[in-house]
Amino acid sequence: MNMYSLVDESVRCAMNIKTHKCRKSQCQGCSVWQSIQECSKDLDKWDKLEVQRLAKINFANKWDVERSYRRVTNTFRFLLVFFIAGTIFCFGAVIKASAEPVYVHHDYYVNDGIIRDKLRSTHRHVHDRDVDGLVNCIDYTLTFKEEWDKDMPPNHCQIVRNYQKTVFAKMNHLFVRVKLSDTGKWLYIEPQAKYDRRNYKMSDYWGWPKYNPQYNKLGETVYWMSLCRR
């Protein structure tokens, strides 16, 4: 084994120990380590110093490369785990969304027959419920609420008031919000909407900025139902 081969083998041994591929306690029984020791005996003092110098330089270079490789590998592993976790999260969200009622523009639920049926009953029975001489949004809302409560959970239908007075639009209007199941989404419904059409959602019926949900006021149900005279 010449001097340069001795340098390479020494560096390889040092790297194995540094990266925990080998333990120092194994050196005595290692044939490579024994060969290095035998060859070192044949070198004079200056050659031994040169071997040590070259070995330190080569070891430092190899360890820099190893650290860069580990850094890149760890970054890749982190990104891979992050990607897998993100994929699982998105997949779970899709499954959860698919398990809930579909809520899209102009097709608010797969089965919106209940809402349309309540609108039909509302238009059939609406009259001056608060005895103010008018048939307006108050009467339509009170009628819708009473029709809903006949065979649907009362807590799934609430009266909402929208009061908006801005430079963009003015509105002082009464309507309802409903949901078809305990886990369903709240749908903001215009009781005056035609039951044979699918524009009964407030945002479709009135449009923006005339209807701005930012100005919705909840907790109005008990008050307005107390005004219902007949």
Side-chain angles (χ1 to χ4, degrees):
M1 184 183 298
N2 59 38
M3 186 173 67
Y4 295 104
S5 297
L6 184 60
V7 170
D8 291 339
E9 291 299 324
S10 299
V11 170
R12 185 161 68 91
C13 285
M15 284 294 297
N16 287 341
I17 293 173
K18 185 71 173 178
T19 57
H20 306 291
K21 293 179 180 179
C22 296
R23 295 192 301 271
K24 285 187 176 182
S25 59
Q26 296 176 314
C27 290
Q28 295 296 333
C30 177
S31 59
V32 176
W33 185 85
Q34 292 174 359
S35 298
I36 293 173
Q37 296 303 309
E38 290 295 327
C39 292
S40 297
K41 291 179 181 179
D42 299 332
L43 299 177
D44 60 31
K45 178 181 178 180
W46 301 109
D47 285 342
K48 286 182 180 179
L49 291 174
E50 181 66 11
V51 168
Q52 292 176 3
R53 185 184 71 84
L54 293 175
K56 288 180 180 179
I57 294 173
N58 290 356
F59 175 79
N61 292 335
K62 284 184 176 294
W63 181 239
D64 284 341
V65 172
E66 178 69 18
R67 282 192 299 183
S68 299
Y69 172 77
R70 289 189 176 195
R71 198 176 299 119
V72 172
T73 301
N74 290 338
T75 302
F76 175 77
R77 287 175 179 172
F78 172 79
L79 293 176
L80 180 61
V81 171
F82 183 80
F83 173 77
I84 293 174
T87 302
I88 293 174
F89 176 81
C90 293
F91 184 69
V94 169
I95 292 177
K96 181 180 179 181
S98 65
E100 296 179 350
V102 178
Y103 182 66
V104 294
H105 188 68
H106 289 307
D107 189 12
Y108 313 125
Y109 280 88
V110 172
N111 177 16
D112 64 347
I114 295 174
I115 296 175
R116 299 173 73 182
D117 180 66
K118 296 306 175 186
L119 288 173
R120 184 182 294 106
S121 299
T122 297
H123 284 254
R124 185 182 302 127
H125 298 109
V126 68
H127 59 276
D128 187 8
R129 308 301 298 269
D130 58 344
V131 195
D132 64 349
L134 302 173
V135 176
N136 54 22
C137 65
I138 298 174
D139 304 295
Y140 276 93
T141 298
L142 295 176
T143 303
F144 186 100
K145 172 61 175 170
E146 287 197 342
E147 293 298 318
W148 179 278
D149 290 354
K150 288 179 179 179
D151 53 14
M152 295 294 290
N155 62 322
H156 285 188
C157 179
Q158 300 175 358
I159 294 176
V160 184
R161 182 166 64 97
N162 183 284
Y163 182 76
Q164 177 186 181
K165 192 175 182 180
T166 66
V167 295
F168 300 104
K170 293 178 174 61
M171 175 175 275
N172 188 12
H173 188 63
L174 213 64
F175 53 98
V176 297
R177 69 173 189 168
V178 304
K179 59 180 181 178
L180 300 182
S181 67
D182 291 331
T183 59
K185 297 178 182 292
W186 283 106
L187 297 175
Y188 291 78
I189 304 299
E190 171 55 76
Q192 298 180 89
K194 297 295 184 181
Y195 52 83
D196 58 346
R197 299 177 185 175
R198 290 193 172 181
N199 67 335
Y200 51 72
K201 195 170 68 167
M202 282 292 293
S203 56
D204 288 340
Y205 190 90
W206 291 101
W208 194 92
K210 180 64 176 177
Y211 170 65
N212 187 340
Q214 176 183 347
Y215 297 97
N216 285 349
K217 298 182 181 298
L218 305 178
E220 301 268 327
T221 305
V222 174
Y223 170 76
W224 289 104
M225 291 303 292
S226 69
L227 300 181
C228 186
R229 305 303 183 193
R230 60 179 183 175

